[in-house]
Amino acid sequence: MPLENSKDSRSRFVQLFMSHEKQIYRYILSLMPHSQDAQDVLQETAIALYKKMDDYDPSRPFAPWAFRFAYHMTLKHREKSTRWRRFLDDDLMKEIASRQAMLIPELDQRREYLKECLAEVPDDKRAMLTDYYFEEESIDVIAEKQNKSVEATYKALQRIRKTLMHCIQGKMHASGMSVT
Amino acid sequence: MKNETIDQLHWETLLNRAVDGILTDKEAGRLSGILRSSQDRMGEYIRFVDMHGSLQHEALLAQAGEVGELVNFESESDKGEIGNIGFWRTMAAVATIAAIGAFTWSSKYAFFDTENPSYEETTYIGIVTSLKGDISTSDHFVGKGLQRGPFKLDGGRAQVRLDNGVKLSIKGPAEFDIFGLDHITLMTGKVTANVPPRAIGFRIDTPDMEVIDLGTEFALRVDPSGESRLHVLEGEVEARKKIGEGLENVPMIIAKDNMHDLVDGPSWLDCNYDPESFAPSPLRDRLIQATDGKLRSLQDPPKDLRYGRFKHDYLMLFPEKQDFVLPRAVEVNLSEPGSYRVLGPGPKERYLKVADEKQRARETMVDVGLVQSVIPAGTRVSSYLVHFDATNKQTDSFRAKGRVRFNGHVLGLILHQQSLSASDDLLGGSDTIYESKAGRHMENDFIRISSDQQQIVMNFEIHGFIDQVRILVAEDLEETLVADILDRQYQTP
């Protein structure tokens, strides 16, 4: 049954969106791995969902309904860039989307382990992650601060990501969680 | 090196370049091919991208108390934004949409209970950024902090900027109530709203209408009779009429692009735009591309910049003398890209005790007398001033940080009290009263000039004095270079 067209329904929609927003963002990011593009798609998805909220049937789960919009918004966004057209054909998009859905429980667990792994990162490397992800510094600014070349700084960032991936993987194996 | 290892390295490079947005078209094709041919690589890709998203999105790296300060690098022009910062904008957009739900005021309540409105708190949620025309009867001034509550303008024009980036241009006489960042009620007068993507959902109620922004700029007018008129200047809005105490069931989506199809539409829609009938579009500063944090870009300079004039804690950035040729050379304290710590004598001692080696290695300590360069006479510049006066704060010290990105190159910063006072007459606004040098006192303040010399990051601390930085921006790089070359030639013996 569709939601009633009222402020209550809008409020309910917003609650639903807020509680699924990270999930939708990660879904989009898997299809379009650059954060700026993914954020643009997320915004467009939010607006599309908002406009269509009266079509939502609350007896059904919200995420798959929202994913459909996110998928189409990604398709639309793909057409704006040669790079994304080269990366994503329709078949690959469908494949990534379905694989991502299968991996959701594992990805949730990995995020928990990521927090633990971050706590193990040495201070200087953590500072670099903070500069890049939280302070939103560009690599050249970080390089300048550290008095290193841009190339060396970017390699250092890649190494930290690799270490984190290994750390998470190690914890997954140790916990006996299967990796699909 | 074995091929296997080379492949692995190549694979990891592709993954990193993909998430950092620097894949070439060719690499995008390669990545696509690998994912199509290997299920294992597909799994690795999804896990890697998800980790990257978590690092960005989960604020795992945020330090307590810092989330929400430097959240939005608000674009001031159509030239886009800076860096990988869109996430916070998206979050704010979502939060704003959320506010539509949170503010479930009935329109009747919003209008007829104004004698005792339920404003949530008394913190500042915006600032007056411009005042023009006859405002003699108004108690507003440029740089005035805005709180929830009534706003009245008897004449002239005003512009305000709310903390969610919404800019309102108001043509007096006008009267409205600010109920929150996402909701105002316009009783009478003309208001044009420019709503950035992160504030989608911003709503204006009038006595007979409700208008919700869906990413746009729109103009509203409420005549003395209480009748509203709407025109969409950009993007689209959702509008509906009030019926009795309620609203029409079905809202109307009005886009700029479909307005010409609605000529025979509702009477409240002005399909043909008459600028005289509405407030003008909010102004933008032509040289400022974007700002964020506590920094607020004002279109006009405040009249009085003496100590203790402002009660809010925004860092105000405003134009002084614009687009003119320097009649004499000007010494600037900072001009080279880098991170600087500006310290007074007392704070310097404390800083040396507290700052660890890494911090000291990252920041160049700046002495009061430092002159990093001289901008030669003949250079075409525009001057801006950043003013921070949180002197009403009861705490011993108070901090605020912000960023600005200019469309032009920053030629230099003047921040020491003597240098500021010495350049007021040349670079300052003619109608502005400046603080004497005794009240301008940098104590323990951080400034970064980006490597492309277009972006300035500030983290200022107040200890009973105001902090100010004068920023000189090149108006024409080519001319600047010529002037520089000429200056050097004249100095050659």
Side-chain angles (χ1 to χ4, degrees):
Chain A
M1 189 207 325
L3 286 169
E4 284 175 29
N5 186 349
S6 66
K7 285 183 182 174
D8 285 347
S9 73
R10 202 154 55 202
S11 167
R12 181 164 153 64
F13 162 79
V14 167
Q15 281 169 9
L16 280 167
F17 187 81
M18 293 288 279
S19 59
H20 291 83
E21 185 264 342
K22 286 178 184 170
Q23 207 181 333
I24 300 167
Y25 175 75
R26 285 195 293 268
Y27 175 83
I28 297 166
L29 198 66
S30 70
L31 299 171
M32 198 154 273
H34 181 222
S35 52
Q36 194 72 55
D37 289 303
Q39 283 145 12
D40 287 347
V41 175
L42 178 64
Q43 275 198 354
E44 286 154 17
T45 304
I47 294 165
L49 289 169
Y50 175 64
K51 285 183 192 170
K52 292 283 181 186
M53 64 187 170
D54 291 335
D55 295 347
Y56 171 59
D57 178 352
S59 66
R60 302 175 73 94
F62 182 78
W65 184 71
F67 284 175
R68 286 213 311 273
F69 284 82
Y71 187 89
H72 286 288
M73 288 300 156
T74 309
L75 269 176
K76 220 169 134 186
H77 202 79
R78 180 187 69 176
E79 296 314 309
K80 294 178 189 170
S81 142
T82 318
R83 182 179 43 176
W84 294 126
R85 282 201 302 275
R86 282 208 169 196
F87 174 57
L88 280 177
D89 60 29
D90 290 358
D91 289 343
L92 184 60
M93 256 185 92
K94 280 180 196 151
E95 211 172 320
I96 294 173
S98 92
R99 186 72 186 275
Q100 205 265 357
M102 278 169 56
L103 286 175
I104 283 174
E106 183 197 323
L107 295 173
D108 288 343
Q109 184 56 53
R110 291 177 75 92
R111 271 190 294 282
E112 291 306 310
Y113 288 143
L114 173 62
K115 288 176 198 166
E116 292 175 20
C117 291
L118 275 172
E120 296 168 18
V121 171
D123 283 352
D124 56 335
K125 294 187 170 59
R126 194 183 164 85
M128 187 175 184
L129 286 173
T130 305
D131 282 349
Y132 187 76
Y133 284 108
F134 179 65
E135 296 285 358
E136 298 151 355
E137 301 281 22
S138 64
I139 291 292
D140 64 333
V141 171
I142 298 171
E144 188 184 290
K145 273 164 67 173
Q146 297 187 343
N147 210 13
K148 287 181 185 161
S149 71
V150 172
E151 197 184 340
T153 308
Y154 190 51
K155 284 210 169 119
L157 178 66
Q158 292 187 23
R159 279 197 295 275
I160 300 170
R161 285 172 177 160
K162 190 173 178 177
T163 308
L164 284 172
M165 283 292 282
H166 280 157
C167 172
I168 295 167
Q169 202 65 12
K171 288 181 188 290
M172 292 292 289
H173 281 305
S175 69
M177 276 204 63
S178 63
V179 174
T180 323
Chain B
M1 199 181 281
K2 289 179 183 173
N3 283 342
E4 202 180 16
T5 317
I6 293 170
D7 284 350
Q8 180 63 23
L9 277 177
H10 178 62
W11 164 246
E12 286 167 6
T13 304
L14 284 179
L15 285 182
N16 279 281
R17 290 175 66 81
V19 297
D20 293 317
I22 50 176
L23 271 186
T24 62
D25 292 350
K26 209 169 166 186
E27 287 170 331
R30 261 188 242 141
L31 180 61
S32 179
I34 295 171
L35 295 183
R36 270 187 265 121
S37 63
S38 165
Q39 282 296 306
D40 286 350
R41 291 296 199 211
M42 170 84 79
E44 274 180 56
Y45 161 84
I46 291 171
R47 292 179 188 102
F48 185 83
V49 169
D50 196 77
M51 182 187 78
H52 173 75
S54 299
L55 286 167
Q56 274 184 325
H57 211 162
E58 305 278 349
L60 298 174
L61 296 156
Q63 291 154 16
E66 288 199 46
V67 175
E69 285 189 17
L70 277 178
V71 292
N72 295 295
F73 215 141
E74 184 202 348
S75 178
E76 298 280 342
S77 69
D78 299 329
K79 290 198 175 178
E81 296 163 2
I82 309 149
N84 52 348
I85 51 173
F87 159 67
W88 293 110
R89 193 188 50 173
T90 306
M91 281 300 285
V94 173
T96 308
I97 291 175
I100 301 166
F103 282 88
T104 50
W105 308 66
S106 79
S107 302
K108 178 178 181 289
Y109 178 82
F111 257 96
F112 299 109
D113 199 24
T114 48
E115 281 186 11
N116 188 20
S118 307
Y119 306 124
E120 285 178 341
E121 50 193 55
T122 54
T123 52
Y124 292 101
I125 61 165
I127 188 167
V128 177
T129 61
S130 172
L131 283 174
K132 301 215 182 290
D134 180 15
I135 47 152
S136 50
T137 55
S138 162
D139 62 348
H140 300 301
F141 55 91
V142 175
K144 180 186 177 185
L146 290 175
Q147 297 174 315
R148 288 176 173 84
F151 186 102
K152 193 176 174 198
L153 188 72
D154 293 329
R157 294 201 313 270
Q159 186 165 322
V160 304
R161 194 265 199 199
L162 302 179
D163 283 354
N164 55 355
V166 169
K167 296 186 189 85
L168 301 173
S169 164
I170 306 131
K171 198 168 174 182
E175 222 177 316
F176 59 88
D177 240 316
I178 304 173
F179 275 84
L181 285 175
D182 355 76
H183 179 197
I184 70 166
T185 58
L186 177 64
M187 269 76 87
T188 183
K190 299 163 184 169
V191 168
T192 295
N194 177 283
V195 183
R198 66 191 172 98
I200 284 169
F202 178 77
R203 168 176 141 208
I204 300 184
D205 281 342
T206 71
D208 62 346
M209 276 186 79
E210 176 194 86
V211 181
I212 295 176
D213 168 85
L214 298 175
T216 193
E217 184 167 299
F218 64 93
L220 255 179
R221 183 183 82 228
V222 178
D223 296 329
S225 62
E227 280 184 23
S228 312
R229 309 282 288 182
L230 168 74
H231 181 86
V232 179
L233 291 154
E234 277 304 329
E236 56 188 52
V237 300
E238 178 186 297
R240 47 182 148 185
K241 282 286 279 182
K242 287 177 183 168
I243 302 170
E245 292 180 10
L247 287 163
E248 281 177 339
N249 278 338
V250 183
M252 193 165 175
I253 305 285
I254 300 154
K256 185 203 173 197
D257 298 340
N258 72 7
M259 286 200 55
H260 58 275
D261 300 331
L262 298 170
V263 175
D264 299 323
S267 58
W268 42 263
L269 194 62
D270 267 12
C271 293
N272 298 312
Y273 181 62
D274 172 12
E276 288 303 310
S277 302
F278 293 99
S281 289
L283 302 164
R284 294 185 175 92
D285 191 293
R286 70 200 162 85
L287 280 183
I288 295 173
Q289 199 180 108
T291 59
D292 85 345
K294 294 298 282 186
L295 196 77
R296 297 288 178 268
S297 167
L298 315 182
Q299 281 67 52
D300 300 328
K303 296 278 181 215
D304 191 345
L305 293 174
R306 285 172 298 178
Y307 175 82
R309 293 301 193 269
F310 300 97
K311 291 179 179 170
H312 56 69
D313 56 1
Y314 298 117
L315 294 160
M316 297 188 293
L317 168 75
F318 47 85
E320 297 184 293
K321 210 170 269 185
Q322 295 283 290
D323 194 11
F324 76 110
V325 176
L326 287 177
R328 58 176 158 88
V330 174
E331 289 184 348
V332 291
N333 304 118
L334 297 176
S335 60
E336 303 295 326
S339 301
Y340 300 95
R341 176 69 54 178
V342 188
L343 294 160
K348 184 172 181 178
E349 215 171 286
R350 281 200 302 277
Y351 174 79
L352 290 172
K353 275 185 199 159
V354 174
D356 62 20
E357 231 170 80
K358 280 181 219 157
Q359 187 181 357
R360 278 194 260 165
R362 280 208 303 260
E363 301 171 352
T364 306
M365 276 192 285
V366 178
D367 288 330
V368 173
L370 177 76
V371 174
Q372 220 167 35
S373 69
V374 177
I375 303 177
T379 310
R380 185 174 282 280
V381 299
S382 278
S383 178
Y384 288 85
L385 193 74
V386 176
H387 179 88
F388 183 36
D389 173 2
T391 42
N392 69 310
K393 294 280 168 189
Q394 296 303 307
T395 49
D396 286 343
S397 66
F398 190 78
R399 273 203 169 277
K401 58 181 176 178
R403 278 191 287 194
V404 54
R405 186 166 182 84
F406 291 96
N407 288 321
H409 278 81
V410 173
L411 297 173
L413 308 183
I414 300 172
L415 37 94
H416 295 314
Q417 46 190 323
Q418 286 91 346
S419 315
L420 282 165
S421 297
S423 58
D424 282 345
D425 62 331
L426 179 64
L427 305 168
S430 50
D431 297 331
T432 307
I433 304 168
Y434 289 90
E435 177 58 81
S436 69
K437 66 181 181 186
R440 297 163 147 174
H441 204 105
M442 303 285 275
E443 295 99 352
N444 178 7
D445 303 294
F446 174 83
I447 290 178
R448 181 161 66 235
I449 304 175
S450 67
S451 49
D452 65 2
Q453 288 182 277
Q454 285 186 256
Q455 187 170 312
I456 308 290
V457 178
M458 287 155 269
N459 189 344
F460 287 171
E461 184 176 282
I462 285 279
H463 271 288
F465 295 95
I466 55 172
D467 282 354
Q468 289 184 335
V469 175
R470 182 162 277 140
I471 305 172
L472 293 178
V473 184
E475 272 293 344
D476 185 316
L477 187 60
E478 207 174 318
E479 280 184 32
T480 305
L481 290 173
V482 171
D484 194 25
I485 290 162
L486 286 174
D487 192 59
R488 268 185 254 150
Q489 279 174 345
Y490 288 133
Q491 284 173 3
T492 308

